[in-house]
Every structure is written in C-alpha cells, then in structure tokens.
Amino acid sequence: MTALDEDVTADQAFARARAEAAAGPLDDSFARRFDEEFPRLHGLFRRLYAQREDEREALADVVALAAASWHARSLELRALDSIREADPAWFESQRMLGGVCYVDRYAGGLTGIREQIPYFQELGLTYLHLMPLFESPEGNSDGGYAVSSYRRVDPSLGTMAELAELSADLRLAGISLVVDFIFNHTSNEHEWARRAVAGDPEFEDFYLIFPDRRMPDAYEQTVREIFPDDHPGAFVQLEDGRWIWATFHHFQWDLNYANPAVFRAMAGEMLFLANQGVEVLRMDAVAFIWKRLGTACESLPEAHLLLQGFNAVLRMGAPSVLFKSEAIVHPDEVIQYISPDECRLSYNPLQMALTWEALATRDGRMLQLALDERHALPEGTAWVDYVRGHDDIGWTFSDEDSARLGIDGHAHRRFLNDFYVGRVEGTFARGVPFQENPKTGDARVTGTTASLAGIEAGDAGGEDRVVLAHALAMSTGGIPLLYLGDEVAQLNDYTYADDPASAGDSRWVHRPKRPVEAYDERTDAATPAGRVFTRLTRLIAARRGTAEFAGNELIPFHTPIPSLVAFQRPGRDPLAERILVLANVADEPVHIDPLTLSGFARDAVDIVDGRRRDLDDGVSLPAHGFAWLRVTPLW
Ligand code: GLC
C-alpha cells in the first residue's frame, strides 16, 4: 500500500463512522455505492481542498449527509433508482421529449401545473423543466434565479410538499421532473447572505467579500461583464463599503467554493431536492463556479472537479438523479462538462444558435460543420436540443470554425444581432436586443420562436421556419426541448416593459403567459396556432416511432447545396435502414439530384407522411422544407 492508499483507507473508515453515526448501520445498497464512490470523492477533495485544515472533516460530513439522505429516501424513489440502474440509457430513447415553462406564467402555481398533466401527455412530454420555483426576493429576482431558500417553494406557487406530490404525479404520467440547481450563487436575502453581511465569519467565508477595490479591480482585468445593464464588472458594493462578487445581478452573490463548507452546504441542498422526486437537476451557470485571479474565471479545471464531486455525492445518496449542464460558452468548453462523471445531459447551445444563423443567412454550412464535427458525445450522455430557451440567444460558435468557411466571427455576430432585432432591411425577425455592451460591441437577442422566425412580421416562410427549426431539434439526437407555448406559435409579449420588475430585462419579451386562445385554436387549421401545432405533433409522433432517432450517433451527409443541412441517423445496425434528414434553410426550393442519393436503394419512405419516394427522381424540398426519409444504404 502506498501512503496515499493508506490515507484513503483511513479517511474512508473515518467517513464511514461519521455516516453510521448520522444514519445508523449502512445498508448493502448504500455501502456498495459508498465503496465505489469514496476513493473518487476523496481524490477530488484532495485536489480542491488539500490546503484547508477542515478538508477531512468536510468530506466525512458530506458522506454523512449522503447516508442520511439515502436513509430518508422514499421507497418509491429507491424503486426508481433500481429501474434506472437496470436501464441507464433511458434518457437516450426517441420517446423522450422535454417541455419547459414558468410555473406562475404557465399555470398560476403548482396546482395549475398538475392540471396541465393531461395536456403534457397529449403532447407526449416525458420531461418537464419547471423554471425556478424557490423562495426569492420580491420584485426582480432574475426569474427566480436568485434563491433565498432551496428548501422552500415560493409561497405564491405552492409548497415543497406539493412539489413532491407533483413529481410523483408526473412520474405516474411518464414525465420526469427537472428543476434548477442554482448553486453558483444565492440571493442577497438567503440566510447565509444575511449572516455574512452581519459579519458572521463562518458565513462571510461563504461568499467572496473584499474590503476595498484592490482585488475586485485585479479580477476585473480578466473577467467578462455578464449583465452590464445591471452593474458594470463582476462586483457590487455592500452598504458597509465592502465589495462582493456578483457575476449576474447585484442581488445574486457568488458562492466561494474554495471553502469546503460551501460544498458541504450545497451538497445538503442538492440531496434534499433529489429526495423531493426531482429526476434531473439543471446545473445553473456551471462555468462560473470557480474563480482564479488572472483568468476569465470561467470553465476553470476546478469547476469540473466540483461537478464531479457533486456527481459522486449524488450517486451515493440518490443514484438515479442526473445532472444537466447549463454551459452557454464556447463549444470547446461546453463539451468538457459532458461525461457520465459530470453531467450526463447538456444544453446544445451551438446547434440552437446555428439553427438561427442558418435561417438568417439561408446558408446551412456553419450548422452542417457543427453537426459534422461537434455533435459527437461520450457514451452514456445526451444533448438537450432546443430551438430557444428562456434566455437570450448568444452566438457562441467558434471563430476558428467560421473562419474555415471564410466568415469573420465578429462581423457575423454583429450581422446576426442586427438581423434578429430588425435592423437589417428585409429581415423576417422581430427580436429585441439584450445586454448590448457599447464597450465591447457584444449583444444578444431575445424573442419567441414564432416572432424570431417571421410569423409576427407576417412573413410567408414564418410557420415553415418554426417547423423546420423543431424538425432539426427533434432529429439530430438527444432530448428535444420545447419552450411551452412555442408549439402553438406564441408571439412576443411586449408588456414586460410596463412592469418595473421586468422592464430592465428584455428576456421577458419571450416569457409570456400561457396563451389560452392559441391553445384553444390548436386543432383549427385556419390559425397559425392550429397549423404549427398539427405539424409539430406529427413530427413528435414520427420521432417516437423511429428507433433510429434514439441515441446520438449521426453520420454526415454532404451535398453540393449550401442551403441544405443533411445527415443520417443510423440506428443500432449500421448496415440496415437508416433515417436521412434533409433540411433546406433557403427561401427557394432545392432539388437533390439522384446521383447525390445514389448510395441508397431507390425506394425510400417519408416517415412523417408515410409516402413512398423514388430516389431515382431525386428529392425536391420546398423553401424552408425538410424530409425525414427512411433509406437503405447500398454499401
Ligand atoms: C442562467 C439562467 C439565467 C440566469 C443566470 C443566473 O444562465 O439560465 O436565466 O439569469 O443563470 O442565474
């Protein structure tokens, strides 16, 4: 045994004793997972906290929390743990379909969400992300992303007991509950924050507080401004004159993860949520959780170690729960968060942004390049493919990628922003600028799918673009995620500007209330809501019935047509039939000639309308049209 091994063994015995003191004798199931995970967690703690005296204690406490949490975990959730263990690829199924909504705006409260379950089933949802629903400051709380208590639901929405019941009802309906784990920061009203401000040293060390501008100035040499409309830089001043780190709004204070007590505290909150029946935790703002002077303080190696640490704790205490990464950063960084040891799921911000890029330019090459080279994932992980989320659209593509196509990234981002906020002549989009930064020229775009795609402007291609964007999100591989309301072509809501709590944040333009009328019209083909809904639900049905859409494998397919995005989804047997996806982002029809398709047998079937196609005739696609074809490769 090396000295290190001896260390692990001694620390493991110490942690086990602490766990038994907290939770009683360990059952076999926990003991097995503890033995599997402890050495990893130990190694992570060593790397993160070696210089801290309280490292060993904190580690033992974390294990004790996991043991106590497992002990308290309901039989129903333990049964779910076993089911998931037997079928670890459950989330890769083609039956998966996500929806996301604000509890208050969509349904008034948790009771209202429960009343929507029949509709969620009609739509085919298997995953429901409820936007932040925790206690948070009155007025502006960044849509709940400023959490004052992780254990209390915002009383205007319901209670934690109701959330737990809702999770069980959703599960019965085949829907996994997803909630945010907002662990980079708390609100300034969280008890930890109040105590820190009051000068309690234990809690001062939970945040990054500096007596004067010396350190903030030094950090700000290299960190980005995230919400420059709210405050410049990354710090805000406390009433007593000190400065505190606040990456986002002035009321969202970043936690100090260099302090193991913060890890321990947040691990406790995480396990608590897992035991309410949450099946996926959306790991908010993952890129920002570790800071180091002289760096951008984004995506540092320690951010990954922390996620791996939380992952190990979760595997001990609530093994079926998954993490979804919210890293809306450069694609080289996004991918680093995705692995079975970190986040099994991740938003796919590149595909999202490049779908809009392709629609604006009528050129599919950047999206095609991303699908060819940046789509592959480690085994046992999946993308969450969305057309738009509750946040702005940021153009997070790589400048190196665009340069390969002769496109200057900086100028292109400017064009895209101008295009989507209506500053380019002839644009079909009705978006609103978000966080325009005159110092850097940065800006982002907000708007609902229907408004960005041209329906609001009355553009003839608007409905087709909405459907096309969803057809891509539903076919590239991963869990497609609908922003609820988009499936009935909901438009921007400009009334956000009348409410002081939201006026300063244009993302509210695309977070409207549930569009009751549009939902009532969803079967009426004379309305945009009816037409879009019918076309999208047909796609959902076709996807569900197509086993090749499971998993993430994608084989590029190249044609000489720049407006065409094309790829194949091979399914389990690469020699058997596969799905060929063809998507035309142009305003004109295109024809794919028979020679380009000559690698396939001539008989193909359109899996959306069931019609046969003879590939010897080539394939014609209308403007903004697409096809999902079942084809048989000839070799
Ligand atoms: C994430 C959320 C965003 C929020 C931010 C701060 O990026 O998606 O809405 O403003 O985190 O919590």
Side-chain angles (χ1 to χ4, degrees):
M1 249 200 213
T2 65
L4 186 66
D5 290 338
E6 273 176 39
D7 235 25
V8 179
T9 313
D11 288 352
Q12 184 157 356
F14 177 67
R16 187 179 179 121
R18 183 68 64 85
E20 286 182 331
L26 307 185
D27 65 25
D28 289 351
S29 167
F30 185 85
R32 170 175 60 85
R33 295 194 307 275
F34 168 65
D35 287 342
E36 275 167 20
E37 300 300 331
F38 185 82
R40 192 158 71 97
L41 189 58
H42 185 269
L44 292 165
F45 259 64
R46 268 295 134 85
R47 289 169 68 188
L48 286 163
Y49 301 124
Q51 72 295 4
R52 299 273 309 209
E53 275 167 23
D54 47 353
E55 178 232 341
R56 192 164 177 253
E57 287 283 325
L59 175 59
D61 283 350
V62 166
V63 170
L65 281 174
S69 176
W70 172 253
H71 195 77
R73 194 159 168 82
S74 70
L75 283 179
E76 190 211 342
L77 293 176
R78 289 182 185 209
L80 179 71
D81 294 331
S82 308
I83 293 169
R84 298 298 195 227
E85 194 176 11
D87 179 21
W90 64 277
F91 56 85
E92 296 177 41
S93 161
Q94 75 279 7
R95 290 188 192 84
M96 291 298 292
L97 177 70
V100 52
C101 65
Y102 283 87
V103 175
D104 54 340
R105 306 187 72 81
Y106 197 77
L110 293 176
T111 311
I113 293 285
R114 172 187 283 147
E115 287 161 6
Q116 290 297 330
I117 290 178
Y119 172 67
F120 298 150
Q121 288 182 296
E122 171 192 335
L123 197 55
L125 295 192
T126 60
Y127 161 125
L128 180 66
H129 174 198
L130 295 179
M131 294 295 294
L133 37 73
F134 303 101
E135 206 175 85
S136 53
E138 282 283 308
N140 187 1
S141 65
D142 191 17
Y145 279 100
V147 177
S148 303
S149 164
Y150 298 89
R151 300 198 183 215
R152 280 194 300 272
V153 166
D154 173 347
S156 68
L157 305 178
T159 64
M160 194 50 85
E162 282 166 0
L163 183 69
E165 279 167 33
L166 175 64
S167 84
D169 289 345
L170 287 168
R171 204 163 12 263
L172 271 180
I175 302 171
S176 299
L177 176 63
V178 184
V179 303
D180 284 84
F181 188 49
I182 301 152
F183 69 125
N184 173 70
H185 46 265
T186 71
S187 87
N188 57 350
E189 294 182 6
H190 193 286
E191 199 197 323
W192 304 338
R194 291 182 196 274
R195 293 215 204 167
V197 171
D200 179 337
E202 185 185 343
F203 291 96
E204 284 179 325
D205 203 17
F206 267 48
Y207 299 90
L208 296 134
I209 305 177
F210 301 95
D212 52 39
R213 282 295 308 177
R214 199 174 59 85
M215 288 309 288
D217 285 342
Y219 278 112
E220 282 177 358
Q221 298 285 315
T222 48
V223 303
R224 281 198 289 161
E225 285 185 341
I226 304 300
F227 287 163
D229 289 0
D230 184 76
H231 64 278
F235 294 82
V236 293
Q237 195 163 24
L238 297 174
E239 271 174 23
D240 63 10
R242 293 184 297 168
W243 293 85
I244 190 161
W245 199 305
T247 298
F248 297 94
H249 293 90
H250 58 279
F251 49 80
Q252 288 165 301
W253 294 352
D254 291 49
L255 287 161
N256 172 24
Y257 276 98
N259 174 7
V262 171
F263 184 95
R264 178 178 54 204
M266 285 309 282
E269 307 309 90
M270 173 183 79
L271 290 163
F272 173 83
L273 288 174
N275 273 1
Q276 308 310 306
V278 174
E279 296 186 33
V280 178
L281 288 169
R282 173 191 181 278
M283 306 302 275
D284 186 61
V286 288
F288 298 91
I289 56 179
W290 193 271
K291 334 285 191 206
R292 190 186 316 126
L293 193 61
T295 72
C297 297
E298 283 183 49
S299 294
L300 291 172
E302 289 85 352
H304 295 282
L305 303 181
L306 283 168
L307 280 166
Q308 289 163 27
F310 282 122
N311 178 309
V313 175
L314 200 61
R315 281 200 213 165
M316 285 185 208
S320 59
V321 177
L322 303 183
F323 286 160
K324 174 171 81 158
S325 156
E326 192 247 347
I328 313 300
V329 287
H330 189 285
D332 289 347
E333 286 173 32
V334 172
I335 193 81
Q336 289 167 10
Y337 293 95
I338 312 173
S339 83
D341 287 345
E342 266 178 55
C343 300
R344 284 196 182 261
L345 304 177
S346 166
Y347 282 109
N348 192 347
L350 183 64
Q351 181 175 311
M352 183 277 292
L354 292 181
T355 299
W356 290 107
E357 188 273 345
L359 291 173
T361 57
R362 284 80 161 173
D363 180 340
R365 290 176 307 152
M366 280 187 58
L367 177 56
Q368 184 74 49
L369 184 65
L371 289 169
D372 292 359
E373 298 185 9
R374 294 191 179 272
H375 183 76
L377 286 182
E379 204 167 309
T381 65
W383 290 115
V384 173
D385 296 308
Y386 60 123
V387 172
R388 63 95 167 192
H390 71 284
D391 281 329
D392 47 290
I393 300 176
W395 308 106
T396 58
F397 58 81
S398 134
D399 285 7
E400 292 74 43
D401 289 0
S402 65
R404 282 166 59 192
L405 299 169
I407 296 167
D408 171 67
H410 186 71
H412 201 50
R413 283 189 189 90
R414 283 231 139 141
F415 162 76
L416 292 167
N417 282 325
D418 287 346
F419 184 92
Y420 277 107
V421 304
R423 290 180 193 150
V424 169
E425 183 142 12
T427 181
F428 52 73
R430 290 283 183 276
V432 177
F434 178 64
Q435 305 288 338
E436 281 186 299
N437 190 338
K439 277 187 269 175
T440 59
D442 278 352
R444 282 111 79 187
V445 166
T446 62
T448 67
T449 299
S451 290
L452 292 177
I455 297 183
E456 184 176 329
D459 185 89
E463 290 175 23
D464 290 344
R465 286 190 203 95
V466 171
V467 179
L468 177 63
H470 284 96
L472 285 165
M474 282 188 218
S475 61
T476 53
I479 304 176
L481 177 59
L482 296 171
Y483 192 96
L484 293 173
D486 275 4
E487 77 282 20
V488 288
Q490 183 167 26
L491 300 177
N492 284 348
D493 172 6
Y494 298 96
T495 61
Y496 78 96
D498 307 333
D499 179 348
S502 55
D505 186 337
S506 66
R507 292 175 298 177
W508 290 101
V509 82
H510 62 210
R511 300 168 176 174
K513 294 210 166 128
R514 183 173 182 277
V516 181
E517 249 175 60
Y519 276 112
D520 288 346
E521 291 168 356
R522 70 184 184 276
T523 51
D524 178 356
T527 63
R531 289 188 295 271
V532 167
F533 185 79
T534 305
R535 292 171 71 188
L536 290 184
T537 44
R538 245 184 235 150
L539 288 185
I540 293 168
R543 175 184 146 87
R544 278 180 88 90
T546 304
E548 288 85 347
F549 281 151
N552 193 52
E553 204 188 334
L554 178 152
I555 302 173
F557 186 75
H558 291 143
T559 76
I561 306 171
S563 71
L564 196 76
V565 178
F567 53 90
Q568 310 167 67
R569 299 299 314 281
R572 285 243 162 77
D573 176 359
L575 299 176
E577 295 177 338
R578 55 179 65 167
I579 304 302
L580 175 66
V581 174
L582 302 167
N584 173 28
V585 297
D587 292 341
E588 294 87 39
V590 294
H591 182 73
I592 302 113
D593 62 51
L595 188 63
T596 304
L597 299 164
S598 60
F600 305 115
R602 61 187 289 186
D603 279 334
V605 179
D606 184 315
I607 59 167
V608 182
D609 63 17
R611 282 211 316 254
R612 306 211 144 265
R613 300 255 200 158
D614 183 347
L615 298 187
D616 280 3
D617 298 336
V619 173
S620 292
L621 294 177
H624 333 108
F626 68 94
W628 288 353
L629 300 178
R630 183 179 290 287
V631 296
T632 314
L634 290 175
W635 52 78

